[in-house]
Amino acid sequence: MKVEAKQEGSKLTLSVSGRIDTVTAPAFEAELKFGDATQVVLDLAEVPYMSSAGLRLLLTAHKTMLASGGELLIANVQPSVREVLDITGFSGILNLV
Amino acid sequence: MTERRNLYVKLACSVLATFLLSFIFSWCLHDGLSKHDAYELIDRTFKNVQDELTDCINERLVRVCMAVRETLEEGYPDDPRSLQTLANEMRVTEISIADNAGDIIRSSVADYLATDARPAFNFAEAGGEAANMMCLVDGSDTEYCQPFRNNAVNNNWRKFVGVWRHAGGFFEIGCDAKALQSLTRSTCVDLFRNWHVGGTGGIVVTTATGLVLSDYEEPNREGSQWIEPDDTFYWKRMEIETFPVYVMIPKGSAAVQRDVLVGSTAILNGAALVFVALLVGFVISAFVRQQMHAQAAKELEMAKSIQLSALPNVFPPFPDENRFDIWASMETAKEVGGDFYDFYFTSKDRVLFLIADVSGKGVPAAMFMMRAKTLITSAAHTGKPLSQAFAEANDALCEGNASNTFVTAWAGELNTKTGRVTFVNAGHNHPVLIREDGKAEFLKTRPSLALGAMAGVPYATNEIQLEPGDEIYLYTDGITEQPDANGELYGDAQLLKTISSCGRYWRKTLLDAVLADVRRHAGNVEQADDCTQLIMRYRGEPFTVTREYAPNMEGLERAATDLAAALEDVPEKLRNRLLVAADEIFANIVNYSGATHWTLSVELTRHPQGVRLVFADDGKPFDPLVRRDPDITLSAQERTVGGLGILIVKKTMSPVTYKRREGMNILTMGTDYES
């Protein structure tokens, strides 16, 4: 899996590609660094599916951003990922755009 | 029914007994009453008869007495002998003359006259009836008649009649019985001819010697000898002024009233009793009917529960099974029909599935069904060929089958490796064979005899080769013989049409579609019989790859890679689901189970296509399916990620099962999809 970061002022866009599961989660976690960005966009357009290992990271990131007064936006969610978010109720917690 | 007939017989008998009792009672009552009435009437009549007869006699005697007075006042020799002569002339017994003081001054009877020893007979002093003659002296009466009585002076029976005397005092004549009768009998003749007593009764007057003077019945009998009435009469005899008088009422006549009363009472009683009996009968039969209804409802419930308890009703019945699918349904009619179905493995690669329909309904059918099911199952479980199992079950069912109940059955045994189905048809409806491409036709073979019909008959075995995706649809005649409002049956053709129109739908969808069409056909007509259906689909042997992995991240990574490669041809959406679900289980095994070995089997099936993933690990026992689902409605701060993986598995995979076997946790999950 790969993560490409793009900073525009206080807005940080992280474009993720590849599955997020137990195998790839450690690498993904290592890339989830937001610096002083107040708005982080996670672009999941290239993520075919995600297991609960990924959900844990998303929840942690979301809570971190909330605590620092910023926001985490999840963009371009694919159907399989969306299904998992719906099943687990995460689509009601995270900011999906 | 017998109990009810007995009840009615008892009821009728008691009604009859009550009727007879009341009849006898009322007859006795009215018989006694009529007798009493008759005698009362007779007594009343006697009073009138006495008055009338006495009047007639008195009148006659007064006239005689007046004739005596006339003769004596005209001047007649004044001595006792001449008085006796006159008495003889006048046909009276004696004549006396009394003065104003009541003393007898002249008499034909010497006893009355004064002698030296005693004074003359004095009426006033004599008292009693004699003193009554004094009314002729004081002028209050001109004539007086005494009744026929004993005369105290000389102890003779006489009737005295007196008339007043112009010179003061009175004349008196006395008549003995004979004289009385001879003087007055003519006045008695026919005196009571028109008198009727109580309808057909009457009065008879005879002479002292028994010659008829007046007869109410036969006037011509006058003068003939009277014979006293027999016991066909209520009667009484009384002597009035020496005349024997009979008042008599024929019993028959007296009984008329009694008969009318008893008759009408009997009719009224009878009617009342019949009414009461009908009412009681109606109430009892209504009660009995209600009891029977309740009983029948209870039996119906019992029969239904027997029937349903015997049938496997959890679907899919073998969740781990990917070589075939079975689905069945039964829609019971109001009255249980004794349908059943069953399916079970007879060996690792052979599954038996059957449907059957017991003749008759209700509890007997349900009981017979239980027996048939047990017999077939136990015979088949011994691994005997199906035809032999059926023959043995048949012989056992025929034993002691007094009610001649029988059961039609169709049973097939699928070899999951080859797709061959060996089957026996014991008089059952031909199943429908649905090919993989959706073409449906009846699987017609010559049926053997129904089970329980005749012992010793052989059961022929037939075979059909199924290709993966082919289906066999079994049903009972509750489906094809459901009538509509015009009595037209649903029929084989319509069944085939409905099944064909279902295309590639199968299992419950097809069963529901058929049932819905049968209901549409029935309209308002009640379901006639149990509607039982079973469908078996052969999927073929799956393509299976099993590999063992190390219980660490390396092993997990290899397993994930292998799985992704194995699922390459699976549609993306399903593949993603499988990969996510598998990742959750991988993580559990590697992170928490403490397993030293674990394997993943990937089974790919065709017709329809499907995937089964079987995870086996030797870690600590852990059934993820019993874990409570996490609360997904909490806010972000409250949420944790615990339990989410299993939730995802449960929501995306079907079926999912867990088993602990031989020290291994075995979790199976999968999904089917149409190509």
Side-chain angles (χ1 to χ4, degrees):
Chain A
M1 74 148 294
K2 273 189 346 203
V3 179
E4 270 177 27
K6 196 169 128 195
Q7 182 91 35
E8 292 168 285
S10 61
K11 180 184 172 186
L12 174 67
T13 304
L14 296 175
S15 302
V16 190
S17 60
R19 66 183 207 266
I20 305 174
D21 57 13
T22 312
V23 176
T24 60
F28 181 44
E29 190 173 12
E31 297 288 342
L32 281 179
K33 295 193 181 80
F34 307 140
D36 53 0
T38 55
Q39 190 187 48
V40 176
V41 178
L42 263 183
D43 187 341
L44 302 184
E46 298 297 319
V47 176
Y49 62 90
M50 182 193 292
S51 75
S52 62
L55 293 178
R56 187 175 62 82
L57 300 182
L58 290 192
L59 184 64
T60 309
H62 183 76
K63 284 181 179 175
T64 308
M65 288 306 290
L66 277 181
S68 65
E71 63 172 347
L72 174 71
L73 303 177
I74 316 285
N76 301 319
V77 175
Q78 296 303 298
S80 292
V81 177
R82 175 77 199 211
E83 186 178 58
V84 167
L85 293 179
D86 286 344
I87 287 169
T88 55
F90 271 48
S91 40
I93 297 170
L94 304 175
N95 304 311
L96 304 185
V97 292
Chain B
M1 280 328 278
T2 316
E3 274 173 38
R4 245 169 115 180
R5 200 177 315 125
N6 282 345
L7 185 72
Y8 285 129
V9 168
K10 278 180 196 160
L11 201 61
C13 284
S14 59
V15 164
L16 198 65
T18 313
F19 176 76
L20 283 176
L21 267 177
S22 93
F23 181 82
I24 290 167
F25 174 76
S26 108
W27 196 90
C28 289
L29 182 73
H30 286 292
D31 191 49
L33 277 178
S34 76
K35 189 174 169 185
H36 177 262
D37 286 351
Y39 280 110
E40 210 171 46
L41 181 61
I42 286 170
D43 288 344
R44 249 190 347 261
T45 305
F46 264 119
K47 227 167 119 38
N48 292 334
V49 168
Q50 184 160 28
D51 288 350
E52 186 76 11
L53 190 58
T54 309
D55 279 356
C56 280
I57 289 168
N58 288 354
E59 200 184 329
R60 172 86 180 111
L61 291 181
V62 165
R63 272 208 305 278
V64 171
C65 196
M66 283 162 95
V68 167
R69 178 178 66 184
E70 203 175 319
T71 310
L72 288 175
E73 285 188 344
E74 272 176 6
Y76 201 80
D78 187 12
D79 62 87
R81 277 192 51 184
S82 58
L83 267 185
Q84 187 58 54
T85 311
L86 180 62
N88 292 346
E89 269 173 32
M90 291 295 178
R91 288 153 58 203
V92 300
T93 314
E94 54 190 66
I95 297 173
S96 303
I97 302 167
D99 63 10
N100 266 339
D103 287 329
I104 289 185
I105 50 175
R106 290 174 63 189
S107 177
S108 60
V109 181
D111 295 345
Y112 304 154
L113 295 172
T115 63
D116 294 340
R118 54 172 166 83
F121 178 83
N122 183 279
F123 282 93
E125 284 169 12
E129 251 319 310
N132 287 341
M133 279 294 184
M134 293 306 288
C135 68
L136 301 172
V137 174
D138 61 24
S140 63
D141 243 323
T142 57
E143 57 203 44
Y144 184 79
C145 301
Q146 288 182 6
F148 188 69
R149 68 179 177 90
N150 187 269
N151 179 8
V153 176
N154 48 18
N155 213 26
N156 286 329
W157 281 81
R158 295 287 184 272
K159 179 176 175 73
F160 294 105
V161 173
V163 295
W164 68 288
R165 184 171 167 240
H166 291 91
F170 52 88
F171 296 100
E172 184 203 65
I173 56 169
C175 298
D176 63 11
K178 204 177 158 196
L180 181 64
Q181 292 231 339
S182 75
L183 274 173
T184 59
R185 61 182 289 175
S186 60
T187 66
C188 294
V189 171
D190 290 349
L191 186 59
F192 298 113
R193 173 176 296 176
N194 291 321
W195 282 44
H196 282 270
V197 182
T200 54
I203 301 156
V204 174
V205 184
T206 72
T207 63
T209 53
L211 298 175
V212 174
L213 290 176
S214 171
D215 187 340
Y216 74 103
E217 201 172 37
E218 291 174 59
N220 297 339
R221 207 162 59 183
E222 186 197 327
S224 60
Q225 185 64 43
W226 172 248
I227 302 160
E228 287 201 339
D230 56 24
D231 63 359
T232 60
F233 289 89
Y234 295 119
W235 62 276
K236 248 186 185 176
R237 179 184 184 277
M238 197 185 269
E239 270 187 22
I240 300 173
E241 305 291 351
T242 74
F243 290 98
V245 176
Y246 297 84
V247 174
M248 48 205 281
I249 302 169
K251 282 186 177 173
S253 155
V256 165
Q257 198 189 6
R258 174 198 68 196
D259 293 348
V260 166
L261 276 173
V262 171
S264 58
T265 308
I267 289 169
L268 284 176
N269 274 356
L273 281 170
V274 165
F275 176 74
V276 168
L278 286 178
L279 193 70
V280 168
F282 174 76
V283 167
I284 288 178
S285 73
F287 177 73
V288 166
R289 208 174 307 130
Q290 193 197 343
Q291 291 289 98
M292 280 168 67
H293 263 283
Q295 181 69 18
K298 224 164 85 183
E299 282 191 10
L300 212 64
E301 279 308 306
M302 198 167 88
K304 267 190 189 173
S305 67
I306 290 173
Q307 192 179 24
L308 291 174
S309 68
L311 304 179
N313 53 11
V314 177
F315 294 98
F318 315 111
D320 299 346
E321 188 52 63
N322 52 17
R323 298 168 292 178
F324 63 90
D325 296 297
I326 278 182
W327 209 280
S329 83
M330 177 158 77
E331 196 75 6
T332 51
K334 203 166 169 191
E335 197 178 358
V336 174
D339 279 11
F340 67 96
Y341 57 80
D342 206 357
F343 35 77
Y344 44 87
F345 282 97
T346 53
S347 73
K348 195 169 140 280
D349 301 322
R350 285 167 196 272
V351 65
L352 188 141
F353 56 105
L354 68 92
I355 195 162
D357 183 359
V358 175
S359 66
K361 287 181 190 296
V363 172
M367 299 302 285
F368 195 85
M369 162 223 162
M370 286 300 283
R371 233 180 116 218
K373 184 171 176 290
T374 311
L375 285 168
I376 295 171
T377 309
S378 65
H381 263 308
T382 58
K384 287 172 187 156
L386 209 47
S387 56
Q388 199 184 331
F390 261 52
E392 283 176 15
N394 176 50
D395 289 347
L397 282 173
C398 284
E399 248 172 68
N401 182 12
S403 60
N404 283 323
T405 307
F406 58 86
V407 52
T408 67
W410 194 102
E413 192 176 36
L414 169 72
N415 182 328
T416 57
K417 279 193 166 148
T418 63
R420 266 192 113 60
V421 173
T422 311
F423 64 90
V424 172
N425 184 356
H428 200 78
N429 307 55
H430 298 298
V432 179
L433 175 64
I434 309 163
R435 291 293 185 185
E436 197 269 335
D437 59 5
K439 271 187 197 145
E441 58 179 350
F442 284 104
L443 179 51
K444 286 195 177 170
T445 53
R446 194 187 149 93
S448 304
L449 205 58
L451 297 168
M454 192 190 291
V457 296
Y459 284 87
T461 309
N462 289 285
E463 281 193 338
I464 175 91
Q465 177 66 49
L466 296 185
E467 299 304 326
D470 288 351
E471 297 164 347
I472 291 179
Y473 168 83
L474 307 177
Y475 59 96
T476 57
D477 56 15
I479 299 275
T480 47
E481 289 176 13
Q482 172 64 46
D484 65 6
N486 301 320
E488 200 152 314
L489 305 184
Y490 185 69
D492 291 349
Q494 184 60 31
L495 175 62
L496 211 55
K497 202 173 139 196
T498 306
I499 290 175
S500 301
S501 71
C502 282
R504 291 301 305 141
Y505 293 140
W506 84 283
R507 305 206 298 200
K508 196 152 171 46
T509 319
L510 184 134
L511 303 188
D512 287 348
V514 171
L515 205 56
D517 199 52
V518 169
R519 286 211 178 111
R520 175 203 56 75
H521 173 79
N524 290 328
V525 180
E526 199 178 324
Q527 186 185 333
D529 200 353
D530 293 349
C531 286
T532 309
Q533 313 174 80
L534 181 149
I535 193 162
M536 192 285 298
R537 175 165 61 183
Y538 176 58
R539 306 181 67 156
E541 284 287 311
F543 170 76
T544 306
V545 178
T546 305
R547 281 195 186 142
E548 188 174 343
Y549 300 97
N552 53 31
M553 282 306 286
E554 234 172 282
L556 191 154
E557 215 173 322
R558 274 186 49 215
T561 311
D562 286 348
L563 182 60
L567 300 182
E568 205 169 11
D569 292 338
V570 176
E572 190 191 356
K573 188 180 162 195
L574 291 170
R575 188 176 62 222
N576 287 343
R577 275 186 188 164
L578 285 160
L579 289 170
V580 169
D583 186 61
E584 308 296 350
I585 306 302
F586 292 159
N588 271 345
I589 293 171
V590 170
N591 294 333
Y592 307 113
S593 73
T596 58
H597 294 87
W598 69 279
T599 61
L600 168 65
S601 300
V602 181
E603 302 173 351
L604 300 177
T605 58
R606 305 265 176 252
H607 308 293
Q609 289 182 313
V611 179
R612 293 283 189 283
L613 304 179
V614 183
F615 304 85
D617 70 79
D618 63 354
K620 60 191 175 204
F622 174 66
D623 181 357
L625 303 182
V626 298
R627 234 182 108 153
R628 218 175 61 189
D629 291 340
D631 185 353
I632 61 168
T633 61
L634 298 174
S635 70
Q637 273 81 2
E638 298 162 315
R639 286 298 294 266
T640 62
V641 293
L644 286 181
I646 297 303
L647 178 68
I648 293 168
V649 169
K650 285 203 278 192
K651 294 279 184 190
T652 57
M653 294 290 109
S654 174
V656 186
T657 63
Y658 168 82
K659 275 196 290 256
R660 178 79 184 178
R661 195 164 61 197
E662 292 164 10
M664 307 283 281
N665 294 310
I666 298 175
L667 188 81
T668 304
M669 65 191 199
T671 183
D672 285 340
Y673 55 97
E674 301 294 340
S675 49

